[in-house]
Amino acid sequence: MVKLIEGIPIMRPYIDLDNQGYWDAVKNHKLVLQYCTKCNRFIHPPRPMCPTCRSQDTMEWKESSGKGILYSYVMFTSPKMAYPAYELPYAVVLVELEEGVRIVTNTHEIEPDEVQIGLPVEVMFEDLPDGQTVYRFKKREA
Amino acid sequence: MFDEYLARRYRTTTRPKKEHYLVKDSAAIVGIGATEFSKDSGRSELQMVCEAVKAAVDDAGLQMEEIDGFVRFEMDYTDEMHICSSLGIPKLTYFAECGWGGGASCSTIVHAAAAIAAGVAECIVCYRGMNEASGRRYGRIPGTPSIMTAPRDHFGSILPFGHCTPPGWVAMFASRYLHEFDATAEDLAWVSVVCREHANRNPNAIFYDRPLTVQECVEARMIIEPLRLYDCCVDTDGAVAIIVASAEKAKKLKQKPAYIVGATQGNATEGELMTSYYRPVISGLPEAWYTGQELWRVTGAIPSDVNVAQFYDAFSPLIPMQLEEYGFCDRGKGMDFCRGGDRIRLGGELPCNTSGSHLSEAYLHGMNLIAEAVRQIRGTSTAQVKNAELSLVTGGLGIPTSAILLRN
């Protein structure tokens, strides 16, 4: 699913010094997560320090398996409440990755009635005409 | 980080001593005022706010010159400087603003009551005015969109996915909540139906003359799945003003004071502006639990002492979720509490949202809920709970929030 309407750009992520590494990796078709080497813990969304040990120098970017399950979802069906760049209906989903963190994303080639909590999914990337790269999730074998 | 919340064990060792809580019974709500609630006010937000403040001052039996403080919503398009110039209020000695959209509603009372207890001011106006339905905004440049949130609010990570509106943000929590506790659209409909029953008794409610059935709720158009039309609050033009005064002053004024027993705020870690999806569970509202725990701690009251409650209801699933978080039922049992409506309607175990609230009276970012809680203490509600002694109000959800407990 998620088809973009030609000529309407999607919103760009807000990139700053704290999350630059995350979006730089997406540009290279990699999903990376912040990881604290001291706590052995993944952290998302990216932030300046580990909230558990409060270190700044133990944080690194680690590639995610890109596999997870659909933890929750919403379906946009009405033009009034939706962002105009997407054909309706479109789903926004919350994926729980194998690494134990969740990310907000869209689906790829999943029919609306297949969008269900518990669905096994994996990441894919798409380069958009405006130069932006986004990640979405498609079905995978459990 | 969530041990306390998940185990439902509030750690009080790092809290100030209870006897140091000066807010308790130091202040009271002495005046309430509002404009009509409509879909198109035809006037500026500044004008409506001035009308509401004037009505609240008259209601209290105060002189305009006695107002010495203001607490505004960070999100409001008006401010105390212009209000004072319009209403001829000579001077202020206290002014503050509260953040986080509707989470600010009871926060304004926290600030006012604390300032009064500290002796900084004696008569403080808390207010909210919004042309939410028509968009006739004070200070708005015609032709420009109104931006709801700063990109930074969500760490910038959700923007490219078309997840851009409050119903969608809350729908994500609702979807998981309904899934975990096996609840249906019919179950949820009872929340909206009971609020509507109460609105049908309240001539000031937008939906006063429009009854609503469970069937109509489940057949209504989808806004963002799983939220349908009547699961969402009613966009409103209007303004509400609440005046808080010292308990000493309150005794000399026109109305029966609604004494502030407790007023608390709460934030929880891993929060975002209505997209706090990264916590161990998202079928609950940790901020509301913290706010409630602190409220029960400082007041010494327990949930079963409460006679009537106004739960912030921008969206219907927030009522069962708050029944759980404020301790009126166990986790996962909020939907059972609401099903059939008997326990939450007038005459029930805990009459909720007796003016029709955001779902059916008006959406004034929680300030109309505070006005209704005061009417319950005065005995002037259109859905009056007999001998209401303790009246609870809660603030906006999915954000840092607040709550107050009033007594007669």
Side-chain angles (χ1 to χ4, degrees), chain A residues 18-74:
Chain A
D18 298 327
N19 67 9
Q20 177 105 41
Y22 181 78
W23 292 104
D24 282 352
V26 170
K27 198 89 205 141
N28 296 317
H29 290 206
K30 280 186 170 43
L31 184 65
V32 298
L33 298 168
Q34 243 179 353
Y35 183 76
C36 175
T37 51
K38 195 171 157 194
C39 302
N40 294 320
R41 180 176 176 268
F42 286 96
I43 297 147
H44 185 79
R47 63 201 66 180
M49 56 203 281
C50 171
T52 306
C53 68
R54 284 118 193 165
S55 304
Q56 284 167 282
D57 51 5
T58 59
M59 302 273 272
E60 59 179 44
W61 297 106
K62 210 168 176 172
E63 190 168 357
S64 160
S65 72
K67 291 178 183 158
I69 57 119
L70 212 148
Y71 188 80
S72 191
Y73 72 94
V74 304

Side-chain angles (χ1 to χ4, degrees), chain B residues 278-330:
Chain B
Y278 314 103
R279 295 166 166 168
V281 293
I282 66 164
S283 53
L285 304 159
E287 295 89 351
W289 183 76
Y290 280 109
T291 303
Q293 288 299 307
E294 185 66 3
L295 187 69
W296 307 133
R297 187 185 79 85
V298 295
T299 60
I302 55 170
S304 58
D305 294 336
V306 175
N307 305 110
V308 57
Q310 316 297 327
F311 290 113
Y312 195 99
D313 56 344
F315 303 98
S316 60
L318 297 172
I319 293 185
M321 288 168 94
Q322 287 178 90
L323 283 163
E324 299 172 23
E325 299 298 22
Y326 281 94
F328 291 94
C329 62
D330 289 340

Side-chain angles (χ1 to χ4, degrees), chain B residues 137-183:
Chain B
R137 292 210 160 123
Y138 161 84
R140 184 179 179 188
I141 302 162
T144 60
S146 75
I147 295 163
M148 291 287 300
T149 61
R152 180 81 224 188
D153 291 340
H154 309 99
F155 290 91
S157 56
I158 66 162
L159 294 177
F161 306 104
H163 198 37
C164 53
T165 47
W169 300 334
V170 170
M172 192 72 89
F173 294 102
S175 197
R176 186 73 200 181
Y177 180 78
L178 298 176
H179 169 83
E180 282 185 19
F181 302 120
D182 240 351

Side-chain angles (χ1 to χ4, degrees), chain B residues 314-363:
Chain B
F315 303 98
S316 60
L318 297 172
I319 293 185
M321 288 168 94
Q322 287 178 90
L323 283 163
E324 299 172 23
E325 299 298 22
Y326 281 94
F328 291 94
C329 62
D330 289 340
R331 184 166 150 69
K333 300 293 180 197
M335 221 57 267
D336 293 343
F337 203 102
C338 298
R339 194 178 292 116
D342 285 344
R343 296 169 80 180
I344 57 171
R345 62 166 58 99
L346 185 62
E349 170 185 341
L350 181 71
C352 295
N353 299 30
T354 45
S355 68
S357 60
H358 292 146
L359 291 172
S360 280
E361 184 195 34
Y363 178 57

Side-chain angles (χ1 to χ4, degrees), chain B residues 106-387:
Chain B
C106 296
S107 291
T108 64
I109 309 296
V110 176
H111 277 259
I116 287 166
V120 178
E122 199 173 31
C123 258
I124 301 177
V125 174
C126 304
Y127 77 95
R128 180 77 170 111
M130 54 211 270
N131 274 332
E132 181 80 1
S134 69
R136 285 175 200 272
R137 292 210 160 123
Y138 161 84
R140 184 179 179 188
I141 302 162
T144 60
S146 75
I147 295 163
M148 291 287 300
T149 61
R152 180 81 224 188
D153 291 340
H154 309 99
F155 290 91
S157 56
I158 66 162
L159 294 177
F161 306 104
H163 198 37
C164 53
T165 47
W169 300 334
V170 170
M172 192 72 89
F173 294 102
S175 197
R176 186 73 200 181
Y177 180 78
L178 298 176
H179 169 83
E180 282 185 19
F181 302 120
D182 240 351
T184 63
E186 282 83 3
D187 296 335
L188 204 52
W190 283 107
V191 173
S192 310
V193 166
V194 169
C195 289
R196 184 62 63 89
E197 285 173 14
H198 294 156
N200 293 154
R201 306 167 66 109
N202 172 8
N204 295 324
I206 287 189
F207 284 121
Y208 171 54
D209 52 7
R210 296 259 304 274
L212 180 71
T213 64
V214 167
Q215 192 68 14
E216 285 171 293
C217 286
V218 300
E219 286 171 2
R221 71 185 157 87
M222 196 65 90
I223 298 296
I224 295 172
E225 191 185 327
L227 300 179
R228 291 176 183 275
L229 181 63
Y230 299 115
D231 293 319
C232 304
C233 61
V234 49
D235 279 347
T236 305
D237 283 8
V240 175
I242 306 287
I243 300 177
V244 183
S246 66
E248 199 186 321
K249 192 170 182 90
K251 290 190 186 82
K252 300 174 203 146
L253 295 174
K254 204 163 99 188
Q255 305 288 350
K256 181 179 176 184
Y259 291 101
I260 299 162
V261 198
T264 57
Q265 295 177 294
N267 178 49
T269 196
E270 294 288 336
E272 292 193 359
L273 203 154
M274 298 173 81
T275 57
S276 312
Y277 303 148
Y278 314 103
R279 295 166 166 168
V281 293
I282 66 164
S283 53
L285 304 159
E287 295 89 351
W289 183 76
Y290 280 109
T291 303
Q293 288 299 307
E294 185 66 3
L295 187 69
W296 307 133
R297 187 185 79 85
V298 295
T299 60
I302 55 170
S304 58
D305 294 336
V306 175
N307 305 110
V308 57
Q310 316 297 327
F311 290 113
Y312 195 99
D313 56 344
F315 303 98
S316 60
L318 297 172
I319 293 185
M321 288 168 94
Q322 287 178 90
L323 283 163
E324 299 172 23
E325 299 298 22
Y326 281 94
F328 291 94
C329 62
D330 289 340
R331 184 166 150 69
K333 300 293 180 197
M335 221 57 267
D336 293 343
F337 203 102
C338 298
R339 194 178 292 116
D342 285 344
R343 296 169 80 180
I344 57 171
R345 62 166 58 99
L346 185 62
E349 170 185 341
L350 181 71
C352 295
N353 299 30
T354 45
S355 68
S357 60
H358 292 146
L359 291 172
S360 280
E361 184 195 34
Y363 178 57
L364 259 300
H365 256 170
M367 297 310 269
N368 54 318
L369 305 188
I370 298 177
E372 172 63 9
V374 171
R375 285 191 292 268
Q376 286 288 356
I377 293 297
R378 291 182 182 177
T380 58
S381 169
T382 49
Q384 182 61 44
V385 173
K386 264 184 213 155
N387 309 318

Side-chain angles (χ1 to χ4, degrees), chain A residues 85-140:
Chain A
Y86 307 86
E87 273 184 26
L88 294 170
Y90 70 90
V92 175
V93 299
L94 185 62
V95 169
E96 187 161 275
L97 294 168
E98 284 180 342
E99 290 81 7
V101 301
R102 298 186 203 120
I103 62 174
V104 171
T105 181
N106 293 133
T107 56
H108 177 75
E109 291 181 351
I110 306 179
E111 291 303 316
D113 60 357
E114 293 177 301
V115 177
Q116 294 293 339
I117 291 174
L119 187 76
V121 287
E122 66 184 325
V123 74
M124 56 80 66
F125 295 87
E126 190 177 333
D127 297 315
L128 303 178
D130 67 353
Q132 190 171 178
T133 303
V134 291
Y135 49 87
R136 299 191 182 119
F137 279 69
K138 59 182 183 182
K139 279 187 282 185
R140 69 172 165 90

